[in-house]
Amino acid sequence: MSLVAQAALAGLLLLLAGCAPAAPKAPSGTLSSPRWYVLRSGLPEPERAPDAEPTPFQPWTTQARVAGFVERGPTLYVAVNGWGVVAAADLAAEPVAFAAFEDPVLFAGRSINGFYADGRNLVVHVYRNTLFATDPPPGAPEAIVRLDTASGALRSGTLPLTRLGWETEDVVHLDDGGWAIAWKRTGAKAVSFRYAVYSPLTGNERFITQRDFLASYDFHGMLAAPRMLRAIDRAVRSAVGGGAVVHYELQARGSSTILLYRSGSEGRLLSGDAKLVTVPVVRAKGNYYALLPGGSVLAADPSRQGAPAAIPLPALPPGWVYTDLWTDGTTLVVSWEQQRFPDVGAAGLFIRALTPASPAPSP
């Protein structure tokens, strides 16, 4: 389970108790070999291995690490915590050329807790996480940063409570276009929480209860899951054990909407009787691709019978983990980071072409 997922779960349990260069142009070429990219000064740079050079550890709240993927047209956008967004349209290039959209006033010292598409804009949710003693951001509190993918311009956005010193600790995008927001304000003597539903179209905000906010996560049961996701779930549960609760975060290629599915008992999870496993899943070209906690990828093809196929990833050094994935069905991009909870050291991307995979091994 990634540090971000651990932090999200911890947050739930606590609740219960400027301009940049334009993006690259259209893709070309063929990926001939797998490649590693290490984040240095917020930009992915090619490297022979993830541990080629040591990276100083920092709290995960501010360290440079991959915080999400959004695809728009031929371009893949990657949110980089503490820095901004990088973009690449030709993932087959060797090396890949990444364009950077950065602003230290908006991103430095803040955590990215959401990355979405809104028309031609990309929306990045940011906040200052005060869990650790890190340097304060150079600017005033911010809630959202919009990246105009046509011009490359970054624009900050404030929400009503932002102006009063509140930070958006968590944001859930609702089916009707609204945002359910968990607000946090850190004072000299206490930390306060409030919950609201905000409409980005009208600017209206109404307050809700903590229970209503938690209900906005809207997890679907596995009976409502697509057939290929159920096949992946059978393989995942064989690998992690039947006592775990598995959260699947399903994203279709070209969409930033994430559908949530739960396998296992919510009651056992909230009571602390079950461990949580979070599995990101991407649907591309009719197939489903899932990143397992152990660092392998399963591919469920509707034309194949039997278990999902296994796509090998290189073994990482001890303390390194794979955290998220994106694919267009041709190229696979997987984020990774060096974890020493609550800190992160090196972080970056692994990119490889998708080839016919072998059947998943029996548990």
Side-chain angles (χ1 to χ4, degrees), residues 134-223:
T134 55
D135 293 335
E142 299 288 353
I144 56 175
V145 179
R146 287 187 173 91
L147 168 62
D148 186 321
T149 57
S151 67
L154 290 168
R155 294 183 294 108
S156 65
T158 58
L159 302 181
L161 286 181
T162 311
R163 303 182 185 96
L164 300 177
W166 291 77
E167 300 273 1
T168 55
E169 184 183 41
D170 199 5
V171 179
V172 179
H173 284 230
L174 306 176
D175 291 341
D176 62 2
W179 300 347
I181 303 174
W183 290 97
K184 181 180 73 172
R185 183 168 65 180
T186 304
K189 297 182 179 180
V191 177
S192 303
F193 294 92
R194 299 182 75 172
Y195 310 92
V197 171
Y198 172 78
S199 170
L201 295 177
T202 65
N204 294 330
E205 185 175 41
R206 62 179 176 86
F207 292 103
I208 59 176
T209 66
Q210 181 189 86
R211 182 183 296 273
D212 289 338
F213 173 78
L214 294 175
S216 68
Y217 278 95
D218 192 23
F219 280 93
H220 304 285
M222 293 310 297
L223 290 178

Side-chain angles (χ1 to χ4, degrees), residues 54-292:
T55 299
F57 282 92
Q58 295 183 28
W60 66 264
T61 54
T62 56
Q63 178 67 297
R65 53 179 177 76
V66 174
F69 300 103
V70 171
E71 178 188 359
R72 271 293 169 263
T75 304
L76 176 64
Y77 294 87
V78 183
V80 179
N81 196 64
W83 289 87
V85 177
V86 298
D90 189 356
L91 292 171
E94 299 195 25
V96 173
F98 288 92
F101 306 89
E102 300 172 347
D103 187 329
V105 173
L106 299 178
F107 291 101
R110 304 189 194 279
S111 299
I112 294 177
N113 66 355
F115 187 38
Y116 309 91
D118 179 17
R120 76 177 192 181
N121 290 319
L122 301 184
V123 178
V124 186
H125 293 293
V126 293
Y127 78 112
R128 184 193 178 193
N129 192 322
T130 56
L131 187 60
F132 309 108
T134 55
D135 293 335
E142 299 288 353
I144 56 175
V145 179
R146 287 187 173 91
L147 168 62
D148 186 321
T149 57
S151 67
L154 290 168
R155 294 183 294 108
S156 65
T158 58
L159 302 181
L161 286 181
T162 311
R163 303 182 185 96
L164 300 177
W166 291 77
E167 300 273 1
T168 55
E169 184 183 41
D170 199 5
V171 179
V172 179
H173 284 230
L174 306 176
D175 291 341
D176 62 2
W179 300 347
I181 303 174
W183 290 97
K184 181 180 73 172
R185 183 168 65 180
T186 304
K189 297 182 179 180
V191 177
S192 303
F193 294 92
R194 299 182 75 172
Y195 310 92
V197 171
Y198 172 78
S199 170
L201 295 177
T202 65
N204 294 330
E205 185 175 41
R206 62 179 176 86
F207 292 103
I208 59 176
T209 66
Q210 181 189 86
R211 182 183 296 273
D212 289 338
F213 173 78
L214 294 175
S216 68
Y217 278 95
D218 192 23
F219 280 93
H220 304 285
M222 293 310 297
L223 290 178
R227 179 173 62 89
M228 292 296 94
L229 185 58
R230 295 198 301 271
I232 287 173
D233 180 58
R234 289 191 291 271
V236 170
R237 299 202 69 82
S238 295
V240 304
V245 175
V246 185
H247 284 176
Y248 294 97
E249 301 174 346
L250 174 60
Q251 183 174 5
R253 182 199 168 196
S255 170
S256 62
T257 299
I258 296 177
L259 299 178
L260 303 176
Y261 294 87
R262 176 185 288 118
S263 177
S265 168
E266 178 186 13
R268 292 189 62 225
L269 175 64
L270 297 178
S271 67
D273 293 334
K275 70 174 182 178
L276 173 65
V277 177
T278 301
V279 177
V281 184
V282 175
R283 185 176 74 243
K285 294 184 177 179
N287 297 340
Y288 286 70
Y289 300 87
L291 176 63
L292 271 62

